[in-house]
């Protein structure tokens, strides 16, 4: 019986504390890698917003629940509410890391940053899927999809200019 309780405790501990901390470390290393390679990408020409937007009401709700659980733990001196707070750690880490990586997304002089750094020499082709989406084929046969409502003609112009330039060289 005690082994089952211990196993459940270890699972909950790993799921709500260890794994989010590992993800936070991975995201920090990823941000550091992008920040180091940012000078190589050149100057940002077009900013790209991510297709995923976190609604503000979700952010407010998470922070209100977090504040309530912290206040309940302090006022009642019953720290069981901190265990419930552990359930919000992955969501909070995701929100912070998502907002940090989104500010780098864009078309740069020497490539594209859209959740990864892709230099122009690593792009083989692109295809306009519809009025809001472009599918970019990389030289390693993987794809990324860029969704943009406003900047699509400018993005296509930059892709045309830089991909054709690479094919000629």
């Amino acid at each position: 019986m005690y082994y089952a309780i211990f196993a459940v405790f270890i699972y909950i501990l790993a799921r709500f504390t260890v794994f989010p901390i590992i993800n936070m470390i991975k995201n920090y290393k990823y941000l550091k890698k992008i920040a180091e390679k940012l000078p190589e990408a050149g100057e940002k020409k077009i900013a790209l917003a991510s297709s995923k937007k976190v609604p503000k009401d979700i952010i407010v709700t998470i922070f209100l629940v977090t504040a309530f659980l912290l206040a309940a733990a302090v006022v009642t001196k019953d720290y069981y509410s901190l265990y419930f707070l552990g359930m919000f750690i992955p969501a909070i880490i995701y929100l912070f890391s998502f907002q940090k990586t989104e500010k780098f997304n864009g078309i740069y002089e020497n490539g594209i940053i859209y959740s990864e750094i892709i230099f122009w020499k690593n792009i083989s082709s692109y295809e306009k899927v519809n009025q809001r989406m472009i599918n970019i084929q990389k030289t390693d046969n993987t794809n990324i999809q860029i969704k943009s409502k406003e900047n699509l003609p400018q993005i296509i112009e930059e892709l045309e200019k830089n991909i054709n330039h690479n094919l000629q060289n």
Side-chain angles (χ1 to χ4, degrees), residues 49-154:
S50 178
S51 60
K52 298 183 251 178
K53 291 287 183 189
V54 179
K56 291 187 183 205
D57 58 337
I58 290 177
I59 295 171
V60 170
T61 303
I62 287 174
F63 283 111
L64 285 176
V65 168
T66 303
F68 174 75
L69 290 173
L70 282 173
V74 170
V75 169
T76 63
K77 295 183 182 171
D78 181 22
Y79 298 107
Y80 290 116
S81 60
L82 292 178
Y83 296 120
F84 293 113
L85 180 64
M87 289 190 273
F88 289 99
I89 289 174
I92 292 168
I93 290 172
Y94 173 76
L95 290 175
F96 282 123
S97 63
F98 178 75
Q99 291 177 346
K100 292 285 185 188
T101 57
E102 189 180 49
K103 71 178 180 181
F104 292 116
N105 289 347
I107 307 288
Y108 289 79
E109 290 175 347
N110 300 325
I112 299 172
I113 296 179
Y114 195 73
S115 71
E116 64 180 296
I117 298 174
I118 308 161
F119 293 105
W120 293 122
K121 65 182 179 183
N122 297 331
I123 298 175
S124 61
S125 64
Y126 76 94
E127 174 187 17
K128 182 178 176 183
V129 176
N130 57 32
Q131 296 298 335
R132 291 195 246 166
M133 189 182 332
I134 296 174
N135 191 19
I136 295 177
Q137 177 82 28
K138 297 188 297 183
T139 54
D140 63 356
N141 290 329
T142 57
N143 295 332
I144 62 165
Q145 292 182 342
I146 296 178
K147 297 178 183 178
S148 178
K149 293 179 184 177
E150 308 86 29
N151 305 1
L152 205 60
Q154 296 169 332

